[in-house]
Amino acid sequence: MTAEKRPQNAAVKLHTAAREVLAGGVSSDARRLPGTPLYVDRAAGSRLWDVDGNSYIDYVLGQGPAILGHCPPPVVDAIRAQAGRGIVYSAQHEAEVTVAQRLCAMVPVAERVRFNTVGSEAVHAALRLARGYTGRPKVLKFEGHYHGWFDPVLYSVHPAMDAAGPAERPQPVPGTGGQQLSSAADLVLAPWNDLDALRGLLEHHGEQIAAVVMEPILCNTGAIVPDPGYLQGVRELCDRHGCLLIFDEVITGFRVAPGGAQELLSVTPDLAVFGKAMAGGMPVSALAGRAEVMDLITDGAVAHAGTFNSHPVAIAAAEATLRILDEQRDEIYPRLFQLGAALMDGIRAAAAKAGVPMLVHGPGPMFQTYFTTQDRVRDYRDFAATDRAGMARLHGLLLDQGVNMVPRGLWFLSAAHTDDDIDRTVAAVARALQQW
């Protein structure tokens, strides 16, 4: 596709109609963008086609779930077969046992599992469970980390710097109007990748903190890998102070390794939550953890419920997806890292040739591009200092080139991407940066 603006006639008409009936014209704030949002007609493999017939190499992948690409036949077949047998039961079924068994085999922390529908629910369940297990009220979270849109954790995800407080002792900043601000009383906020700051906060609040919750690779604020030894240090501090360590692996789970970031980084939490990639695009999430902790649910001491938990069609998709990821791990994961490294190298080279200051960093199966002169981004404060408006502009330029990435600069790779996709994408980035 050339640098000319892509046709959007049908999309404009749809968005005009949507604004009359959908609040903000979209169904999630993450899709609220300047101008007309992308209206997708269909998807297959590494590609999207919009309602105007434009084709895109897709690196959004539904915000990460389509790890096998869009509409992988084994997953589609599993969904179709289960839908023909029954869509919802409000009863147990064989596939949920099979998926739970596979999760326990794949994920280091998983001795027991419970299913939910979306990641926010699973996080909420994990926090309740941690409070029930420890008898403590508070949770420690990190600035820049996102754990869903529920009130108790929607603090200081991307706060304005004039409200965020000092870097070593950040202040909780609510994420939305209408938030129940009383929940901040049970929240302790810390800077990430700073063991000294965490040590001080735990020494001060430790007897009240039920859990330390984090994204083990920070993906909602860049794609930031923890400093060497940092997660090991956090694990030791949690053990010392008797609080649980919770990994939010909604994004990293099954994307960076069959057992998630905890396998890749060799640190095992007490509880972990999963979603997105585990079902290839269907809405299912999971809470997994040590049996001693999870058995508070078994005993009925901590409540956990939901009409759509272990939804048969979603679980069928999870069974197919996880089977492929598990059985073909030696082919899929090295390939994801290889493709990611090739694309990162190509984007770096294109930016250097164009004379545009850009940092490209991340594990590979997902990575982040930043407009910045910094040589590292370690936490939210570093991320906030990058040119985020420029990254949103690049997103628009790349759409005109037939490439779709997450507007904040995050890129996801799938097993369906090809070497040709990478070459075409690097060429599109080069053309976009020539317009910078």
Side-chain angles (χ1 to χ4, degrees), residues 181-249:
L181 300 182
S182 60
S183 57
D186 288 329
L187 184 72
V188 176
L189 190 66
W192 199 55
N193 255 340
D194 186 337
L195 268 181
D196 289 337
L198 179 62
R199 185 177 295 110
L201 287 167
L202 287 176
E203 287 173 356
H204 183 70
H205 298 281
E207 293 183 356
Q208 292 185 298
I209 293 178
V212 172
V213 59
M214 69 163 71
E215 298 178 63
I217 299 173
L218 180 48
C219 299
N220 283 289
T221 297
I224 307 174
V225 178
D227 289 345
Y230 177 71
L231 291 186
Q232 289 81 357
V234 175
R235 175 72 273 180
E236 292 171 5
L237 287 170
C238 287
D239 291 341
R240 183 183 308 167
H241 290 277
C243 47
L244 300 187
L245 177 58
I246 301 173
F247 278 178
D248 183 340
E249 296 225 47

Side-chain angles (χ1 to χ4, degrees), residues 199-337:
R199 185 177 295 110
L201 287 167
L202 287 176
E203 287 173 356
H204 183 70
H205 298 281
E207 293 183 356
Q208 292 185 298
I209 293 178
V212 172
V213 59
M214 69 163 71
E215 298 178 63
I217 299 173
L218 180 48
C219 299
N220 283 289
T221 297
I224 307 174
V225 178
D227 289 345
Y230 177 71
L231 291 186
Q232 289 81 357
V234 175
R235 175 72 273 180
E236 292 171 5
L237 287 170
C238 287
D239 291 341
R240 183 183 308 167
H241 290 277
C243 47
L244 300 187
L245 177 58
I246 301 173
F247 278 178
D248 183 340
E249 296 225 47
V250 169
I251 293 179
T252 56
F254 315 108
R255 171 157 287 283
V256 295
Q262 57 194 269
E263 176 187 337
L264 181 71
L265 302 174
S266 301
V267 174
T268 303
D270 300 292
L271 296 170
V273 297
F274 299 89
K276 295 192 185 291
M278 72 175 290
M282 288 294 286
V284 59
S285 62
L287 166 63
R290 294 195 288 116
E292 179 184 3
V293 182
M294 294 290 292
D295 280 347
L296 268 72
I297 296 175
T298 303
D299 300 339
V302 173
H304 178 262
T307 297
F308 294 110
N309 290 359
S310 71
H311 188 280
V313 180
I315 289 292
E319 183 179 15
T321 301
L322 292 176
R323 182 178 67 251
I324 293 168
L325 293 176
D326 192 9
E327 294 177 355
Q328 299 180 31
R329 61 175 62 201
D330 292 339
E331 295 80 37
I332 289 174
Y333 289 97
R335 179 65 172 162
L336 287 174
F337 279 89

Side-chain angles (χ1 to χ4, degrees), residues 4-22:
E4 297 177 359
K5 286 287 185 181
R6 67 198 188 282
Q8 288 184 283
N9 296 331
V12 170
K13 289 179 180 178
L14 276 171
H15 193 46
T16 300
R19 284 180 294 182
E20 295 296 321
V21 290
L22 291 171

